[in-house]
Each structure stands twice: as structure tokens, then as C-alpha cells.
Amino acid sequence: MFALASPSPQHARAPYAALNAAFVAGAVIPVGDTPEGITLTPDGARAYVANRGSNTVSVIDTATNTVIDTIATGAGPTDVAISPDGTRAYVAVFDDGLVSVFDLASNTLVTDIPVGAGATMAAVTPDGTRVYVTRQTTDTVSVIDTATNTVTDTVTVGTGPTGVVITPDGTRAYVASFSGSVSAIDTATNTVIATILAGDVPILLAVSSDGTRVYVTNAGSSSVSVIDTATNTTTDNIGVSAQPRFPALSPDGAHLYVPNSEPDTVSVIDTATRTVVENISAGDGPTGFAVFPDGTRAYVGNVNAGTVEVMATTVIPDQGPMAGGTTVTLTGHHLANATAVHFGTAQAVITANTATSVTVTSPAGAGVVPVTVTTAGGTGTLGSFYYMPTPALTGISPDAGPVSGSDQEIVITGRNLAGAIDVYFGTTRAVIQSVSNTQVTVRAAPAPAPGAVAVTVITSGGSADGPFYTYVGQSTITDVSPSAGPTTGGTGVTITGTGLAYTEQVTFNGTPAPFAVISDTTVTAVSPPSATEGTFDVTVTTPGGSSSGSFTYVFPPGV
């Protein structure tokens, strides 16, 4: 795992990542069907995983990364909350409307507490006396007294409450609701004292160890809102990738991890700069996330795969440009008074150092290199660093869309695109749906105005521009000439208007017609045959929408 140098007279210990870290990083642990919430015991010895699809909770021994017990629950367990002393687990059972209480010494059921329909997430107060449970289908939060295991209060919040966290001092509970708001509850009175606007469809939360900030994942806007708890206002919105789920903070609060279930990545946010510094590949549908108490690894639940994988977090970010200059945090043990950090053979610049972390600036390099830390106790390997080449873009399809944005998937092609962090269409951020080394699939957000804009992809290796994407406004039709013709079709028609340059289809009464784009104001078409006489719509469809004029079909003269 690491090379030992000669010990000092004081028997200083060599730095290392974590006990068994060389063996656990990258491990994939099969659990039940549709694993959602993951919670670690306070000592980190076990992880409890709520398997919604199989009505079980898997118990993982984190020393061996094996499932040592499977606990049967009611229908639809979604989350596990553990008491501060590590003796009790409170499992929210959605379909049965229960909170099931388990003794963690024996992993046996103590009691089922009926809370009502849609029990979704649970959080235990720091003193262990109460549990707050969101009820998604009733827009309420149930408050449980843990001494009596009974519901003692109900608090009405926003529509579709899902996530809940409690501040470290126990004075407030924060609840994220689908309606777009976060409710701040005074736990002394169990009343809502503030309703805070977040992003689109806020669902899950994390609270900083000092209680000053709450982080909220927004499934609709693919972002993380930052709430200042002193003012109960949103102070920032950080873009991540599609369908963000359970956020989790590193023990030192320096990084926020956000699993993105659509592109199968985990975004790593630097909480000081409030920027995404890395997207780490994960399994199929990463949803639940829990960081080990020493910060050296994390447990990621893959909802579509039915697995929990172990992700090393000893080198964050673990990739950067070949030119160097990346701020990297190394997490481990016995790191105090580090004298040198090397990325391969190149020495990094140390900018901060404690017993459990070292912050450095990466040197220039190439390929995959080991990261080592040297102290008086010796030299230890904490992980690897990946030097990423500069990306390049070669194309985009489609290359135009409505100025209002679109759910249509847009494929950007190129090379060295793996781990893409952000995509911009001009100044508008697009939402990443999937990533490979040769393409990034995104959905375009609304733009300030119509027009062509440069496409930029940002990766850990740098940024690349190339193709253009055109935001198209709503087209108009001002004239169709001639405005009439025989039902046999074949009439050449000139359509005039605005915003016609990106015409995709012309129809006469719903029947596609051959057409040619002459300019942004002119399209020509040939009328198709019609079975009936009458005046019908002539519709031009563009990425910006559809607009219509009219054309009259007339039966030709006959005997």
C-alpha cells in the first residue's frame, strides 16, 4: 500500500489513506432492488441501505465491504436515519406509511410507528429525542417522540416534501418540497418560520457541520441551491448534471458530493468557490451517497443496478490539466508536517497541511500517476491523479433550437470529452445528460435572444469551442401566394414571413409538402393533392415553433 522510510526516533507513522483503502476503493457490493438512502453509523462501522424495490434494508460491514444482514421491512423503504448514539435506526416506509424502528445491536424490529401515507425521509435531532419525517403525499412533516415512539406533532409545509435535515444545534429542521421551496421549521415550536425559494423541484438536502449553510439539490433545474441559515435566503445556485440526488459533505466541509442519476456521475463541488471541480463516473443511476467519517471514501448507491460502490475520496479532484495548476486536497492519516508531495516524480507545491489533509497545487504531468506524501514517518501513497488532455469539438446535432430552450437531446461530438464538467451555449449553461470520451449529450436551456452562439465544453483538461448553435425565435407567416389551387396539387407556392431560415417541414392541411428555404423571409413549396375542397392551414415548422397561413383547394373544372 505504501513504501516505508526509516522511522524517526519518535516512531512517527507513515502517512496513509485509510485502513484497507487499497482494497475497498472501487468495490461494488450487490444489495437489494432500487437502493435509495444510504446512512453510516456514527463510527462508520456499518452502512444501512434502504432498498425500496425489494422491501429490505441491507447492512454493510465497511471493514470488509460485504452485506452481513438483510432486514425485511414494510413496502417501499426509502431512507434510514440513525440515532446519534448509534443504537437505533428509523426507516421511512413510503407505501405502508410507517417509520420502522430497529435495534442496531441485533438488527431486529423494535416497533412500527404509523405516520400516514407517503413517509419519505427521516432525520433525528442531535439529542436523539425526536425524529422528523416528511410525508410527500400529504404535504406534512410528522414529529416522533423517540421515548414513546409516537407521533406528537404534525407540521404543514410545501407541496411534495421530500428531503429533511436538522441543524447541528437542533434548533431548526429544513424540508425541501417539490413546489420549489424549502421550509425552515423552528423545532422548539414546530412552526414554519421561513419559506425559502430554491431551484426547480428541490428534493434533498445536506447541512454544513457549523449549521451556517444548507445545500439543496434541484431535480428540475439540475442545480444545487445554497441557503444561508442566518437569513434563510438562497445565496447561490450551482449547476450540476441531470437529475441530482442525495448531496453529502466531506467531513471538513470543503467538498460537496452530488450524485447525478441521469449521466451516472458524481459532481464534486468546492464549497469555498461554489464551483464543480470534477465529475466522477459512477454506476447505473447513482442516488444515495454517504461519506466515511475520516473522509477517505464514500458509499454510492446505484438505484438502477441494485449495487453500492465504494468510491475513493483521498485525492479530490483526482484529475486536472497536463499543464498543472489544479488545487488538490489529499485526505488520509498521519499527514502532519508533510515535507513533500509528489505526483509521479514531479513535486507539488504544498499550500495547507493538517494531520488528516494536505492541500497542494498539482505540477505539470501526463497520464496516470501515483500521489505520494512524505512526512517524518515515511512516504505513503494516497491515490492516483489523472492528467487529462485538452478537449476538442468536431460537431453538434441538431445545431438549432428554440430560444425558449428544449427537452430535445443535443449531441456534441469531439475527443477527450470524458468527465465533462460544464457545457455552455454562449453564456447559457446546458444540462449534461450523458458523457463519453467522444460525445456529450445535453439539453439546451433558454437563451436571452435568438441568434448563433459558440458552444463550449469544459473538462478537467481544459475547455474547447468549436461548433455554433443557433437559437431560433418564433417564426411568422405573412403571406401565402398564390393562396388557392386545384385539389390535384402541384401548385407552386411562395410563403413569406420571418424566422423561416431553419424551416424543418411545410404541411398543407397536415400533409407534408416538398419545400425549399430561399431566405429567412421566404420559403417555396408545392401543394400536395387534397381529397376535398376548402381552405386549410399551411403550417411551417421550425426549431422555434410553428406558424400558419392558409391555402384554398378548389376542384378543377370537369364535364
Side-chain angles (χ1 to χ4, degrees), residues 84-161:
D85 62 6
T87 63
R88 291 285 187 271
Y90 298 87
V91 181
V93 184
F94 187 94
D95 297 334
D96 283 348
L98 301 172
V99 171
S100 296
V101 185
F102 290 92
D103 180 342
L104 296 192
S106 59
N107 288 330
T108 56
L109 180 67
V110 175
T111 190
D112 284 325
I113 307 170
V115 294
T120 307
M121 301 287 296
V124 187
T125 56
D127 62 5
T129 61
R130 286 174 290 173
V131 179
Y132 285 73
V133 184
T134 56
R135 296 173 57 198
Q136 195 176 85
T137 59
T138 61
D139 306 338
T140 60
V141 174
S142 296
V143 184
I144 294 172
D145 183 325
T146 60
T148 62
N149 284 328
T150 58
V151 174
T152 58
D153 210 343
T154 301
V155 185
T156 300
V157 289
T159 302

Side-chain angles (χ1 to χ4, degrees), residues 480-507:
V480 176
S481 180
S483 60
T487 56
T488 54
T491 303
V493 173
T494 298
I495 303 167
T496 56
T498 61
L500 304 180
Y502 283 85
T503 296
E504 298 171 332
Q505 186 179 61
V506 176
T507 61

Side-chain angles (χ1 to χ4, degrees), residues 101-370:
V101 185
F102 290 92
D103 180 342
L104 296 192
S106 59
N107 288 330
T108 56
L109 180 67
V110 175
T111 190
D112 284 325
I113 307 170
V115 294
T120 307
M121 301 287 296
V124 187
T125 56
D127 62 5
T129 61
R130 286 174 290 173
V131 179
Y132 285 73
V133 184
T134 56
R135 296 173 57 198
Q136 195 176 85
T137 59
T138 61
D139 306 338
T140 60
V141 174
S142 296
V143 184
I144 294 172
D145 183 325
T146 60
T148 62
N149 284 328
T150 58
V151 174
T152 58
D153 210 343
T154 301
V155 185
T156 300
V157 289
T159 302
T162 302
V164 55
V165 293
I166 299 173
T167 55
D169 63 5
T171 61
R172 294 181 190 174
Y174 286 83
V175 177
S177 300
F178 284 173
S179 55
S181 65
V182 174
S183 300
I185 299 173
D186 182 334
T187 57
T189 61
N190 285 331
T191 56
V192 174
I193 57 173
T195 300
I196 308 155
L197 293 179
D200 185 21
V201 192
I203 52 171
L204 298 161
L205 314 98
V207 61
S208 62
S209 59
D210 61 5
T212 61
R213 292 176 303 281
V214 170
Y215 299 90
V216 189
T217 53
N218 303 302
S221 53
S222 300
S223 63
V224 175
S225 295
V226 183
I227 293 174
D228 181 332
T229 60
T231 60
N232 281 327
T233 57
T234 296
T235 59
D236 208 347
N237 284 288
I238 306 165
V240 288
S241 297
Q243 296 299 317
R245 291 296 186 259
F246 286 83
L249 284 156
S250 59
D252 62 3
H255 295 102
L256 180 75
Y257 298 93
V258 181
N260 305 301
S261 64
E262 187 79 15
D264 301 336
T265 59
V266 174
S267 293
V268 183
I269 295 173
D270 182 321
T271 57
T273 62
R274 297 183 178 180
T275 57
V276 175
V277 295
E278 180 178 14
N279 276 341
I280 305 172
S281 294
D284 190 1
T287 298
F289 202 93
V291 183
F292 200 70
D294 69 2
T296 60
R297 60 188 189 267
Y299 290 81
V300 189
N302 299 311
V303 71
N304 297 327
T307 61
V308 171
E309 66 180 294
V310 185
M311 180 178 290
T313 53
T314 52
V315 181
I316 297 294
D318 67 355
Q319 51 188 259
M322 298 168 69
T326 302
T327 299
V328 179
T329 300
L330 311 176
T331 302
H333 300 273
H334 312 313
L335 303 181
N337 302 311
T339 56
V341 173
H342 286 86
F343 284 50
T345 58
Q347 187 161 340
V349 176
I350 299 173
T351 57
N353 187 194
T354 70
T356 56
S357 71
V358 183
T359 303
V360 301
T361 302
S362 67
V368 184
V369 298

Side-chain angles (χ1 to χ4, degrees), residues 472-481 493-503 506 515-525 540 542 547:
V472 180
Q474 176 66 50
S475 61
T476 64
I477 293 179
T478 57
D479 186 54
V480 176
S481 180
V493 173
T494 298
I495 303 167
T496 56
T498 61
L500 304 180
Y502 283 85
T503 296
V506 176
F515 70 93
V517 175
I518 306 304
S519 69
D520 193 53
T521 60
T522 306
V523 171
T524 60
V540 174
T542 74
S547 55

